[in-house]
Amino acid sequence: MKPLAGTAVIGIGNEFRRDDGLGWAAISLLRARKAQRPFPSGTDLAQCDGDPGRLIGLWEGKALTLVVDACFPPAAQPGRTHRWCVAPGEMPHPAAAGRQSTHGLGLAEAVCLADRVGRGPGRLIVYAVEGADRSLGTGLTPAVAAALPLLTLRIEADVRRHDERTRRTGFEPRSREV
C-alpha cells in the first residue's frame, strides 16, 4: 500500500455546450498560468467529460483533488461560485436527475462508486459555478466568463496551500493508505 500523494485539478464539462465548458476553460487558463509560474510538483491538470471511470483514473492515488464544473440550478445566478469540501469516505448527495449537471451520472455518483471500490479521492474540493446557457455552441456567457479569473486564482491558492502544508509537515494532510 502506498500513501496518497500529489494533486489533481479536473475540469469537467463539454466545451461545445456553452457554459458547460467552464471546467475546460478553467483548466486552459490554469495551464497558461502554469507556463509562467509552475505549480507544485505532482500537480496534474486535466479536462474530463465527467465519465465516472475517467474521473476515477484521474484522481486515483492523489491526496487532493479539485473538481471544477458548471451547475445549472433552477434559480441560477450565472457566475456565482460555490466551493465545498468532501472528506475522504464522506458521500456527497447525488443531485436530482438533470437538475444540476448536464452529465448522465454526476460527480456525486462517481465519488460514491469510487469509494465503494476503494478508489475514491483523498481530499476532494469541488468548485461549481452557476451557468446560464447549456445550449449547443462554444464560448461562455459573459457572467460565467467574468467569474473565471477569480475562480482559477482560488484553485491555484488551494493547490499551493496544500503543497505548503505538505512540505511543512512532511506528509500529505488527511492522507489515507491505499
Side-chain angles (χ1 to χ4, degrees), residues 90-155:
E90 182 180 319
M91 300 290 184
H93 300 288
R99 298 287 303 250
Q100 306 293 321
S101 175
T102 60
H103 320 295
L105 289 178
L107 175 63
E109 291 85 2
V111 172
C112 290
L113 173 64
D115 281 342
R116 286 193 179 120
V117 297
R119 295 173 63 193
R123 179 172 180 230
L124 175 63
I125 299 174
V126 177
Y127 281 95
V129 177
E130 294 182 20
D133 184 358
R134 54 185 159 187
S135 65
L136 292 176
T138 58
L140 304 174
T141 59
V144 173
L148 195 56
L150 180 57
L151 170 67
T152 55
L153 287 174
R154 291 174 69 187
I155 292 166

Side-chain angles (χ1 to χ4, degrees), residues 17-84:
R17 296 295 302 258
R18 304 278 298 161
D19 288 342
D20 194 41
L22 168 89
W24 287 38
I27 296 300
S28 293
L29 185 54
L30 289 167
R31 284 180 177 151
R33 281 201 190 129
K34 183 178 177 182
Q36 299 165 346
R37 193 168 94 177
F39 279 91
S41 176
T43 302
D44 296 329
L45 302 175
Q47 295 170 323
C48 183
D49 60 4
D51 174 79
R54 284 188 276 280
L55 284 170
I56 292 169
L58 291 169
W59 69 46
E60 189 170 21
K62 296 295 187 181
L64 174 66
T65 298
L66 293 102
V67 173
V68 188
D69 198 5
C71 64
F72 299 90
Q77 293 180 19
R80 181 167 59 175
T81 302
H82 305 270
R83 178 189 185 274
W84 70 94

